[in-house]
Amino acid sequence: MMLLAAVLAHQGGWDEILLVLVPIVVVAWLLWLAKRRVSRAAATEAPASPPAGPDSTPRGDD
């Protein structure tokens, strides 16, 4: 067991790089996934709502 700890402790830095990069990649993937879901939900919702234009805003002088 002591030999395994010594080998893992001196890997030249690649294991420390993985300790940083793996969480960054996971968070980036989750953000991409959430953005894709929001975009899809907005795309399916857009045709159902009427288009907003200058005539659709209340003016207050009615």
Side-chain angles (χ1 to χ4, degrees):
M1 185 67 170
M2 193 66 145
L3 180 62
L4 180 62
V7 170
L8 289 177
H10 300 287
Q11 292 294 319
W14 67 267
D15 53 341
E16 287 88 359
I17 292 171
L18 287 179
L19 286 173
V20 173
L21 286 181
V22 169
I24 290 173
V25 169
V26 168
V27 168
W29 176 72
L30 288 172
L31 287 172
W32 172 81
L33 186 65
K35 183 180 178 192
R36 190 177 74 159
R37 287 184 180 182
V38 168
S39 296
R40 284 186 179 180
T44 58
E45 215 172 272
S49 63
D55 296 330
S56 63
T57 58
R59 292 188 303 178
D61 61 308
D62 292 329

